[in-house]
Amino acid sequence: MSPVYQATASAPVNIAVIKYWGKRDTKLILPTNSSLSVTLDQDHLRSTTTSRADASFERDQLWLNGKEDEIKPGSRLATCISEMKRLRKEVVEDKNLAEPKISQYNVHIASYNNFPTAAGLASSASGFAALVASLAHLYALPVSPSTLSLIARQGSGSACRSLFGGFVAWQMGSDAAGTDSLAVQVAPQEHWPQMQALICVVSDDKKGTSSTSGMQRTVETSPLLQHRIKYVVPERMERISKAILERDFDTFATITMADSNQFHAVALDTEPPIFYMNDVSRAIIALIVEYNRLSIANGGGYKAAYTYDAGPNAVIYALEENIKEIAQLIVSYFPQKPGEFKDVLGLFGAGAADVNVHAKVPVGFNEAVAKKFEVGAVKGLIHTRVGDGPRKLGDEESLLAESGVPKTLA
Amino acid sequence: MSPVYQATASAPVNIAVIKYWGKRDTKLILPTNSSLSVTLDQDHLRSTTTSRADASFERDQLWLNGKEDEIKPGSRLATCISEMKRLRKEVVEDKNLAEPKISQYNVHIASYNNFPTAAGLASSASGFAALVASLAHLYALPVSPSTLSLIARQGSGSACRSLFGGFVAWQMGSDAAGTDSLAVQVAPQEHWPQMQALICVVSDDKKGTSSTSGMQRTVETSPLLQHRIKYVVPERMERISKAILERDFDTFATITMADSNQFHAVALDTEPPIFYMNDVSRAIIALIVEYNRLSIANGGGYKAAYTYDAGPNAVIYALEENIKEIAQLIVSYFPQKPGEFKDVLGLFGAGAADVNVHAKVPVGFNEAVAKKFEVGAVKGLIHTRVGDGPRKLGDEESLLAESGVPKTLA
C-alpha cells in the first residue's frame, strides 16, 4: 500500500484595527496601505482544512462546507494551490531527489468553517490561511509563516494576517512582484492575553457591496483615499504597534476606532457611495462612545474600542476586566433570543442560557444616546479573545474519507 | 405724529451643493472652504421679518414665531443687529446729516418661518437673511447684497448665501477680518429655471449633533478634512460653477452627490464620529443611484442628484422634466400619509391629495436596491424650485402691531 499524503490544519479569523482597503495590484493582491489585525481564538472561530495529494486523483478538487467549489483556471484558489505546488517542488523536491514528487499529484481539499456564513463574518481570511497551512504540512515545507503569508495573500488579502497568532501587521511592501508584501507578527498572543473581543452580529436588510469590488471603486473614485494611504496609515501603523508593545489600551482604542471610522469614511467618499454600517451599527458606536466618556469622566481611560469591517457587525475589543460590563451594556440595548449568546468563556458563570437577565447599564451612563432595540437587531453575540496562529491537527480530525471525498459526503 | 420707521422682508432657504463644514474663525464665522448653494423658492419656504426702530423702545427685542428670543450680549444675533446699526450710521447718517438718526433707536424685530421646525430644515439661513434684509430696508442702506452677506454670515454662516436668488457661491476669502468672506451670485434663477428640488423629510430617532459644534470637532480631529479643504473643494467650486453656467446637469449632479458624500465622510472621520444620515437616507441614495444608472444604461444622462445637510433629510435636485418620475419613485418606496405632500407646483394635477396613487417605478428599475418602507419613514415631501433672493414686502405684511409687539401677541 502506498503512503497517504495528507495533512489537516486549522486557522483563525483576524479582525483588523488598521483597515486594508484598496489594491495597487489586483492580480497579486498588493494593497495600497499596510494593515494590522488581532488574531481571534480558533477555539471559537476557525476554518479547518484537510489536503491530500494522490497519484490517482484526476484533478484538483475542493469542497467548502461539504459542497464542491469549482477551482476555475486563473482563479485565486487555483493560484494558491499552484503556488504551493511550486514551493514544494523548489524547496523540497528539487533540493532532495529522495523526496516523493507529490507536487505532481492532484490534490483533494476539504474545508469547513465552524461559524455560519449568515453571521457575516469574513471566512475568506481563515479559509485561505487554513488552506495554505494544510498544504504546507502536506508538502512538509520548511518555510516561515511570513513566506506562507505571501501565498495566502494571493487567495484573499487579509488571509495573510491569519498565518500568525497575536497581533499581526501586513506590510504593504514596495516590490511590484509582491515579494515583500507579507505578514509579520507584532506581538504574540501571550504578550497581551487580556485582550478580548465581543462580536455583535447585526442583522441587515440589504446585500452589501463586496469588498473586492468596493475597494477598487474607492481606489478609482475617492479623493480622500490618497491622503489616507500616504499620510494617515503609515503614522497610525507605527503608533498602534508601539501601543500594542506597551500594552497601552488608550492609544490602541483611539486608533482602532479612528481607523474604523476612516475606512467607512473613504467608502462613503466613493462613487456611488458604499455603506456598510446601518442604524444598529451606529447605535453600538454611540453606546461605546458614551461608555468611554463615562470612564474618562470618572478618571479612568478608554475601556472599549469598536471596529467594523465591510458589513454591519461590530467587533468590540476590550480588556478582560471590562468585557462583562460591556456585554451587560450591549444586551441592555439589544436583547438576545435565549441561547443566542454562546458564553464559551464563562462570562456570566453557570446558568446564563438567557443572557438578558444580565442586562445592566453602568451608573452615570446617559441612556438616551441610543434607543433600545427589539430582539433580533443584534442577532448574536460572540465572546472571544486573542488567539494563536494556524494549528496542525491530527489525522483523526481529517475532513476527507479514505475514498478522497469529504466525510460528510462519503 | 412722528414717522414710523419699519420694514418687512422675506428671505429664502438655500441648500448647498458644495458643503460648508468647518470654521477658521468661530467668532467672525469664517469658513475653512468656499461653498455653493441653490436658493429655493420662497413662495414655498421662507422666513419673514419685520423690523421697527423707535425712540420709545427701551431695548432691542426679537420674537421668533411669536415667542421672544433673548438677544444676549455678544451673541450672533446681537452682532448682526449692531453691525446693521453701524452701517446705517456710517453710510447714511454720517454722510447726510439730514437723515434721521434712527441707528440710535432700539429695534423691535418679529420673525416667522412658514415651515415647521420639526421638518428639520435649517431655518437659521433664511432667518438671518430675512433679519438683515429687513434691517437694510428699515435703514435704507444703499449697499449690495454681497455687503449685507458679510453681516448675515456673522449670524449663521450659510445665511450669507440666502441674500441672493439662483445659484450662489460663498467665497471663503483670506482676510483675517473677514472682509472678503461673502456671497456672490454665480447665476440668477432665470438662468436655469428648470432646476427643481424634491425635499424628503426623514424621521429620525436620535437627536443629531449640532452643526456648530460638529464642524469644529471635525476641524480639530479629522485627518481627511485638510485634504478636502485644500485640494478637493477649490477644484469642485470651479467645475460646478462652470456646470451651472453651461446648464450641464450631468456634471452638476456628479459633483453635488460626491460633495454630499464627502461632507458626511469627514463627519464620520471625526472623533467621536458624527452621523447625520440614517437607514432611510441610505435607501434614498440607493434609489437615486439606481435611477441614474438606468437612465445612463438607456443612453441618457444623470437625472437626479441627492444632497444631505446636517440631518437625515434628502434634497433631490432634478430638472423639471424628471421631477414627476422621481416623486413617483420615492412614494413607491416611502408611502405618504394622505395630505402630507403639498403639491404646490401641480406635479400630479388636480385631485392628488393622496399622492400614493401615483406610486410608479420606471421600467427596468432594479427594485431590490432598497426595501419598501412603512408610512412615516419619509414623513413629508416638499416639491419646490430655484428661487429669487430676499423680497421687500409691503406694510400690510408687517408682523408687528402698532404697539410694537408681534401681531400674534397684540
Side-chain angles (χ1 to χ4, degrees):
Chain A
M1 205 182 103
S2 60
V4 175
Y5 297 106
Q6 175 177 295
T8 300
S10 66
V13 164
N14 73 75
I15 301 287
V17 292
I18 302 291
K19 300 296 188 189
Y20 154 51
W21 196 252
K23 299 180 180 74
R24 62 182 202 272
D25 183 315
T26 54
K27 175 69 190 147
L28 291 170
I29 310 193
L30 301 177
T32 51
N33 60 261
S34 296
S35 55
L36 196 145
S37 58
V38 180
T39 294
L40 299 184
D41 193 344
Q42 61 196 294
D43 284 348
H44 310 146
L45 301 171
R46 67 178 166 276
S47 296
T48 305
T49 302
T50 299
S51 300
R52 187 186 300 171
D54 197 289
S56 73
F57 291 159
E58 293 181 359
R59 55 189 174 95
D60 292 335
Q61 272 185 288
L62 180 140
W63 292 265
L64 178 59
N65 294 331
K67 202 170 156 276
E68 185 167 1
D69 209 0
E70 195 194 344
I71 303 173
K72 296 193 186 108
S75 69
R76 295 170 170 193
L77 201 48
T79 301
C80 280
I81 295 169
S82 68
E83 283 290 291
M84 290 302 288
K85 289 180 177 174
R86 182 186 59 75
L87 260 192
R88 163 74 186 181
K89 183 170 183 299
E90 288 179 11
V91 306
V92 180
E93 298 169 8
D94 290 355
K95 293 207 167 141
N96 181 350
L97 299 178
E99 292 283 355
K101 307 247 175 319
I102 60 174
S103 72
Q104 297 171 8
Y105 298 170
N106 287 316
V107 289
H108 279 192
I109 299 164
S111 191
Y112 172 76
N113 303 320
N114 80 332
F115 47 96
T117 310
L121 293 166
S123 55
S124 59
S126 54
F128 275 102
L131 170 76
V132 166
S134 77
L135 287 169
H137 290 301
L138 168 67
Y139 292 150
L141 299 181
V143 299
S144 70
S146 284
T147 299
L148 294 179
S149 79
L150 289 165
I151 295 173
R153 187 201 75 219
Q154 296 175 64
S156 172
S158 57
C160 73
R161 296 187 311 241
S162 277
L163 266 305
F164 287 99
F167 303 81
V168 187
W170 174 8
Q171 297 173 338
M172 65 176 289
S174 57
D175 178 25
T179 57
D180 57 355
S181 186
L182 45 72
V184 296
Q185 191 176 58
V186 174
Q189 71 177 120
E190 303 78 31
H191 170 73
W192 206 357
Q194 298 83 0
M195 183 66 78
Q196 300 198 339
L198 186 68
I199 305 174
C200 307
V201 182
V202 172
S203 288
D204 206 12
D205 286 329
K206 73 182 253 296
K207 182 93 191 83
T209 307
S210 87
S211 56
T212 299
S213 70
M215 67 173 73
Q216 283 324 101
R217 251 169 50 212
T218 301
V219 170
E220 287 157 17
T221 65
S222 166
L224 299 180
L225 181 69
Q226 297 310 315
H227 187 78
R228 163 172 171 74
I229 289 170
K230 231 168 147 175
Y231 301 104
V232 181
V233 172
E235 185 255 345
R236 284 185 180 167
M237 284 293 291
E238 262 189 56
R239 281 176 54 223
I240 203 166
S241 300
K242 185 163 170 282
I244 290 165
L245 292 174
E246 295 173 354
R247 298 184 197 90
D248 166 3
F249 190 81
D250 272 16
T251 305
F252 174 85
T254 48
I255 298 177
T256 293
M257 293 187 284
D259 209 70
S260 174
N261 293 333
Q262 189 169 88
F263 150 49
H264 292 277
V266 298
L268 176 45
D269 190 47
T270 300
E271 186 192 333
I274 303 168
F275 296 91
Y276 289 118
M277 294 191 287
N278 62 22
D279 286 354
V280 171
S281 317
R282 290 166 61 193
I284 296 172
I285 288 181
L287 295 181
I288 299 302
V289 166
E290 170 61 12
Y291 178 66
N292 284 323
R293 182 206 63 75
L294 177 63
S295 171
I296 292 163
N298 289 337
Y302 285 83
K303 286 163 79 175
Y306 58 78
T307 188
Y308 293 79
D309 277 352
N313 292 342
V315 175
I316 302 168
Y317 285 118
L319 298 182
E320 190 173 3
E321 65 202 56
N322 298 315
I323 203 100
K324 183 174 169 180
E325 194 177 49
I326 295 164
Q328 290 172 324
L329 174 63
I330 294 292
V331 298
S332 301
Y333 283 84
F334 300 101
Q336 298 293 298
K337 238 193 280 184
E340 279 307 295
F341 177 54
K342 312 236 170 328
D343 191 8
V344 282
L345 291 174
L347 200 53
F348 297 117
D354 181 1
V355 72
N356 299 316
V357 303
H358 298 284
K360 193 175 159 194
V361 171
V363 175
F365 190 92
N366 174 8
E367 299 196 35
V369 296
K371 69 163 190 178
K372 305 209 171 181
F373 284 74
E374 299 294 312
V375 171
V378 169
K379 63 185 178 188
L381 289 171
I382 300 166
H383 171 212
T384 187
R385 60 189 160 201
V386 58
D388 57 350
R391 298 175 187 166
K392 185 179 187 324
L393 302 180
D395 259 354
E396 68 284 1
E397 310 242 24
S398 166
L399 299 173
L400 287 172
E402 213 179 310
S403 62
V405 301
K407 286 179 174 169
T408 52
L409 301 180
Chain B
M1 205 180 102
S2 58
V4 175
Y5 298 104
Q6 174 177 299
T8 299
S10 67
V13 163
N14 72 77
I15 301 288
V17 291
I18 301 290
K19 300 297 188 189
Y20 154 51
W21 196 251
K23 298 182 181 71
R24 62 181 202 273
D25 184 314
T26 53
K27 175 67 190 150
L28 290 171
I29 310 191
L30 302 178
T32 53
N33 60 260
S34 297
S35 55
L36 195 146
S37 58
V38 179
T39 295
L40 300 183
D41 193 343
Q42 60 195 295
D43 283 349
H44 309 145
L45 302 171
R46 66 177 168 278
S47 295
T48 305
T49 301
T50 299
S51 302
R52 187 186 301 171
D54 197 289
S56 72
F57 291 159
E58 293 181 359
R59 57 191 172 95
D60 290 335
Q61 273 186 286
L62 180 139
W63 293 264
L64 177 58
N65 294 330
K67 202 169 156 276
E68 184 166 1
D69 209 1
E70 196 196 341
I71 303 173
K72 295 192 187 111
S75 68
R76 294 171 170 192
L77 201 48
T79 301
C80 280
I81 295 169
S82 68
E83 282 291 291
M84 291 300 288
K85 287 180 178 173
R86 182 186 57 76
L87 261 190
R88 163 73 186 183
K89 182 170 185 299
E90 286 179 14
V91 308
V92 178
E93 296 169 9
D94 289 356
K95 293 204 167 145
N96 183 349
L97 299 179
E99 292 283 353
K101 307 247 173 325
I102 60 175
S103 70
Q104 298 171 7
Y105 297 171
N106 287 315
V107 290
H108 279 193
I109 300 166
S111 193
Y112 171 76
N113 303 319
N114 78 332
F115 47 95
T117 309
L121 294 165
S123 56
S124 59
S126 54
F128 276 101
L131 170 75
V132 166
S134 77
L135 287 168
H137 290 300
L138 168 66
Y139 291 150
L141 299 182
V143 300
S144 70
S146 285
T147 299
L148 295 178
S149 80
L150 289 164
I151 295 173
R153 188 202 75 219
Q154 297 174 62
S156 172
S158 57
C160 74
R161 297 186 310 241
S162 278
L163 265 305
F164 287 99
F167 302 82
V168 186
W170 174 8
Q171 297 173 340
M172 65 177 288
S174 57
D175 178 24
T179 57
D180 56 356
S181 187
L182 46 72
V184 296
Q185 190 177 59
V186 174
Q189 70 176 120
E190 305 77 33
H191 169 73
W192 206 357
Q194 298 84 3
M195 183 65 79
Q196 300 198 341
L198 186 69
I199 303 173
C200 306
V201 182
V202 171
S203 288
D204 207 13
D205 286 329
K206 71 184 251 295
K207 182 91 193 86
T209 308
S210 88
S211 57
T212 299
S213 70
M215 68 173 71
Q216 283 325 98
R217 251 169 52 210
T218 301
V219 169
E220 286 156 18
T221 65
S222 167
L224 299 180
L225 181 69
Q226 297 310 316
H227 186 79
R228 164 172 169 73
I229 288 169
K230 228 168 151 177
Y231 301 104
V232 181
V233 171
E235 186 254 346
R236 284 184 179 167
M237 284 294 291
E238 261 190 54
R239 281 176 54 225
I240 203 166
S241 298
K242 185 164 170 282
I244 290 165
L245 293 174
E246 295 173 353
R247 298 184 197 89
D248 166 4
F249 190 81
D250 272 17
T251 305
F252 174 84
T254 49
I255 297 176
T256 293
M257 293 187 284
D259 209 71
S260 174
N261 293 333
Q262 188 168 91
F263 150 49
H264 292 278
V266 297
L268 177 44
D269 191 47
T270 300
E271 185 191 333
I274 303 168
F275 295 91
Y276 289 118
M277 294 191 286
N278 63 20
D279 286 353
V280 171
S281 316
R282 291 167 61 192
I284 296 172
I285 288 181
L287 295 181
I288 299 302
V289 167
E290 170 62 11
Y291 178 66
N292 283 325
R293 184 207 61 75
L294 178 64
S295 171
I296 292 163
N298 289 337
Y302 285 82
K303 285 161 80 174
Y306 58 77
T307 188
Y308 293 79
D309 277 354
N313 293 341
V315 175
I316 302 168
Y317 285 118
L319 299 181
E320 189 172 4
E321 64 202 61
N322 298 315
I323 203 98
K324 183 175 172 180
E325 195 177 49
I326 295 164
Q328 289 173 324
L329 174 64
I330 295 293
V331 297
S332 301
Y333 283 83
F334 300 101
Q336 298 294 299
K337 238 193 280 182
E340 279 307 294
F341 178 53
K342 311 236 171 327
D343 192 8
V344 280
L345 291 173
L347 200 53
F348 297 118
D354 182 0
V355 72
N356 298 315
V357 303
H358 297 285
K360 194 176 158 192
V361 171
V363 176
F365 190 92
N366 175 8
E367 299 195 34
V369 296
K371 70 164 190 177
K372 305 208 171 181
F373 284 72
E374 300 293 313
V375 170
V378 169
K379 63 185 177 189
L381 289 170
I382 300 166
H383 171 213
T384 187
R385 61 188 160 201
V386 57
D388 56 351
R391 297 176 187 165
K392 183 176 190 327
L393 303 180
D395 259 353
E396 68 283 4
E397 311 241 23
S398 166
L399 299 173
L400 288 172
E402 213 179 311
S403 61
V405 300
K407 286 181 175 171
T408 52
L409 302 181

